[in-house]
Amino acid sequence: VTTEDNTINVEMDPESEVQVREKMKAKGMVCVGWYHSHPSFPAVPSMIDLKNQLNYQMLVRDEKLGLEPFVAGIVSPYNPKVAGLKSELAWFYVSRDNPESSFAPGAGELDKNCRSMSLDVETVGNSQIISDCMSKIKMLAEWYSANSTDWSSIWEGEVTLLDKLIASVSERLPRNWQEPIRDTFVGAIKSYMKASWEKTIVKENLESLEGVN
């Protein structure tokens, strides 16, 4: 999407957002934030990101307490300028108090009194969501593989895209997870990704043979 600040922007499909909200409501969950990806460019909020986040904050604002309990995240998994295998992940919040010390480096501002401020977060494990998380990962693995994502492609040196994904996920897991849980979780993700991709390759090979006949 071409924008006034001359940056690359990505927008969420409105229908997908409605589906997500319906599923959360059915599970008795409350949405307290959102995230999106900047696939190969820095995890820095764009003007559209700031506007969207401010709109979300205003929707959940508690006028009595003056609170807007809604945060935003950006993940940059394949930014070539980031050293190491860990994906860049930034959390932010739009402040209308304009504290200079909280201004997110590199981010824009909606006006002089409305800026993005970075947040420090800590991952906390919850065994109750592991099954839901694995189900979602399996779905994503099948979707990306069906859309011709070659996980064996080289990212850097001898490191493949799948290697980078697994390494990054491993570093983002909750600290309180014991090693057996971590190994099982990461192993399952790797198995899902490889199986889905290999299934797609076999399907494509069969289709090419049918085309020859």
Side-chain angles (χ1 to χ4, degrees):
V1 178
T2 303
T3 62
E4 68 273 19
D5 60 342
N6 197 32
T7 57
I8 301 173
N9 291 279
V10 181
E11 295 185 346
M12 182 177 183
D13 176 15
E15 291 185 8
S16 297
E17 183 173 0
V18 172
Q19 293 174 1
V20 171
R21 289 183 179 278
E22 289 178 347
K23 289 184 177 181
M24 291 183 65
K25 184 177 180 180
K27 291 179 176 291
M29 302 174 72
V30 176
C31 185
V32 295
W34 66 294
Y35 79 94
H36 66 285
S37 66
H38 288 181
S40 58
F41 48 102
V44 177
S46 66
M47 293 298 291
I48 287 181
D49 294 336
L50 296 181
K51 290 177 180 178
N52 287 339
Q53 172 58 17
L54 182 58
N55 287 336
Y56 281 131
Q57 289 177 206
M58 293 174 67
L59 283 174
V60 301
R61 181 176 177 78
D62 185 321
E63 294 295 345
K64 292 183 178 180
L65 299 177
L67 299 177
E68 299 172 350
F70 207 86
V71 299
I74 302 175
V75 58
S76 176
Y78 296 110
N79 182 359
K81 295 183 179 180
V82 174
L85 301 180
K86 187 176 181 179
S87 297
E88 183 181 16
L89 180 59
W91 291 96
F92 69 97
Y93 182 88
V94 176
S95 172
R96 281 173 277 186
D97 296 327
N98 193 22
E100 291 290 339
S101 60
S102 299
F103 184 44
E109 57 181 332
L110 297 179
D111 57 53
K112 65 179 182 179
N113 294 316
C114 193
R115 291 182 164 186
S116 166
M117 65 183 217
S118 56
L119 301 174
D120 291 325
V121 300
E122 181 177 351
T123 306
V124 178
N126 184 337
S127 59
Q128 295 180 348
I129 67 171
I130 290 181
S131 59
D132 285 343
C133 186
M134 293 308 300
S135 176
K136 189 70 173 179
I137 289 172
K138 186 176 181 179
M139 182 196 74
L140 290 173
E142 293 174 351
W143 189 90
Y144 278 103
S145 295
N147 283 274
S148 302
T149 300
D150 184 354
W151 294 104
S152 66
S153 296
I154 297 299
W155 162 250
E156 185 178 66
E158 297 183 357
V159 179
T160 65
L161 294 182
L162 181 58
D163 293 333
K164 185 180 187 308
L165 183 152
I166 295 301
S168 182
V169 169
S170 298
E171 292 194 49
R172 294 289 183 186
L173 295 179
R175 296 179 181 178
N176 63 339
W177 275 15
Q178 296 181 352
E179 190 170 342
I181 297 178
R182 298 171 68 91
D183 291 343
T184 300
F185 187 82
V186 173
I189 293 176
K190 189 171 185 177
S191 296
Y192 280 149
M193 302 303 290
K194 290 185 65 176
S196 297
W197 178 67
E198 290 171 355
K199 179 181 178 181
T200 299
I201 295 299
V202 171
K203 181 180 179 181
E204 291 177 350
N205 289 338
L206 289 174
E207 290 176 348
S208 63
L209 290 175
E210 291 176 356
V212 172
N213 294 330

